[in-house]
Amino acid sequence: MANGFGSLYIGQSGLMGAQNALNTTANNLANVNTTGYVRQQVRFADQEYATLKIASSTTNLQQAGLGVSIGDVVHARDIFLDKAFRLETGRESFYSTCYEVTTQVEDLLQELDGEQFANSIKDLYTAIEEMAKEPEDSTKQNLLLQKCELFLSRSASLYSDFKSHQSNLNEQIKDSVDTINKIGNRIYELNVAIQRVESAGVETAMTMRDERDQLIDQLSGLAKIEATEDQFGFVTIELEGAEFVIDRGCMNMNVLYDSDTGFDTPYWPHLSNDDTKTYIEVFNLTYDAKTENNTDIGAVKALLIQRGDHFGTKEDMASLESFSKIESSTMMEVEAELDQMFSKVVNVINDLFCPNMSIDDSKAILDDMGLATTTVMPDEIGNQDSVYQLHGSKSESNSYYIIGVQNGKTQIVATETAQILDEDKCYYGIDHQLPPRELFVRNSVDRYTQVQAGGRTVYVYNAEDVENSNTWYHLGTTRINDELQKQITLMPAYQKDGDVAYDLGAALSNAWASATLTLNPMDKNVTNFENYYNKMINKLATDGNIYFSASETLQATKASLENSRQQVTGVSSDEELTNMVKFQSAYNASSRFMTVISQMTETIVGLI
């Protein structure tokens, strides 16, 4: 009787084991297309054995087993494949984000309100060519003025679009920071919930583990992470080398606002000090993004690099040192290139209309005016130089002006940078007045400051001050001359003797076609204005192609790793259907076994 009923228990364990295996298989099949789902695999184990006779030299070990049980339901993952996949996900996100930014900039450059920006450059050159034929013709002058105004407005509009796109990238950075914080907080919540479920050692929190793994995969595309799971099932995460998800919670990041640019920079509040204004930034951008250094990981870092930390200007192109600070940023570089081109166009036209001469070239004029010289220290290292003093006609005192004007004020400057209007070579409008009207004017600084001495007036050029962007001829501070817009015949078109300045038109045409520009300090090939814009487009296209090739290669690597992961974690409908048949057959066998044992037991009881 005992053996009979023991056999029933064995049959029952077979039925229950097969039923649980069927349930697990059915769950796998139901989630065959569920993103992030990890297949569950049943592992059977023997139940306890009852020992009937100990093995000896004459007898074998005799045991009666109590059936089969579910030893474990495996949540199968390969940590090495996961780590490799997340690393390549971060790299692919970095380069695909960089490529997306360059593509958007290309769209802005090629189209502006339905017209290519290149057309405004060609139209301006056409107007210059027409004016070269008849400089005194008011129709040709008006055409040049219109095309200059169109070039200015389109350049300013394009520059504004670039700045707006930088602001858009900044919003994406803020949104990504919020997303990262939300993911980190949710991972910590899942850590706690998983530990609560699995602490008894009976059940595995399958669904919560799947969600947590999927969140870690998502986080790896946003930033560089290191995820480590301890023996209790708790996952800690380092983000960009700093603790992010730890046993005490999630160390959320915040953004630091720059009032000058409106940009936000992610930083670690728990590592920073508000009292001393010491802020530890999340992403270290002091190193170039390189694969060998693992510094080319994460979409947020790519957004920060491509956005940059300021709006690019021509001053960023002044030296290799200044250019090296922006060359990795598509936005700052293209802004600086556009501003440089605009400034070159403006200065070429203005300098031909209103040419200047250096102090060295004007010594005879200044000597004839009876001006004295004095020795000054124009720099900090004590180099002495003799400069002309001009009596300050603008001042109520008897102070002296030194030739050279900066920041709208006359002051001591090095003589080699000081300039005055070259009255013999300049061109005049129909009113023949001095100083001649420049075509492009700065909003806050006049081109010249009048200084009188010895009964004569000289016009001191207000040079651009490197430290004061308001004195630059650049986008945002420059407009078309209001006087010329009101009366076009005031445009310089005549020589000092009153003859038509045919040489002015020729000089404008030659200056436009001459190869005098380089794209940036690293570029050694000079070009003209029209080809300069083409070089801008080509440089941008080259960068975009590099980013595209890198992202495509990484996408293939990422796909290959995902296929390998799916072989471990993915659900195969064919395999699961095979298991379904196998476990159904096992269930049927256990059922028949119990039926036989039941009939046999009933017969034995009946005989008694």
Side-chain angles (χ1 to χ4, degrees), residues 207-223:
T207 302
M208 287 185 283
R209 281 181 171 273
D210 288 346
E211 182 183 353
R212 186 179 65 181
D213 289 330
Q214 191 173 0
L215 288 172
I216 296 173
D217 288 347
Q218 183 182 350
L219 187 63
S220 69
L222 295 171

Side-chain angles (χ1 to χ4, degrees), residues 499-511:
D499 291 340
V500 176
Y502 290 104
D503 58 331
L504 171 61
L508 282 171
S509 180
N510 291 335

Side-chain angles (χ1 to χ4, degrees), residues 413-481:
V413 294
T415 57
E416 61 268 18
T417 64
Q419 293 180 313
I420 65 172
L421 174 66
D422 189 343
E423 298 181 22
D424 291 330
K425 295 182 180 179
C426 75
Y427 300 96
Y428 300 78
I430 198 170
D431 61 348
H432 212 73
Q433 294 295 313
L434 287 177
R437 282 83 174 175
E438 58 180 347
L439 187 52
F440 297 92
V441 299
R442 291 166 286 185
N443 292 332
S444 58
V445 181
D446 293 331
R447 185 172 179 84
Y448 296 107
T449 295
Q450 297 184 29
V451 179
Q452 295 179 346
R456 180 171 177 175
T457 300
V458 293
Y459 300 92
V460 182
Y461 175 60
N462 296 322
E464 295 177 284
D465 182 3
V466 174
E467 298 180 357
N468 184 0
S469 61
N470 289 326
T471 65
W472 301 349
Y473 287 99
H474 84 131
L475 291 164
T477 64
T478 308
R479 70 180 192 278
I480 299 296
N481 194 317

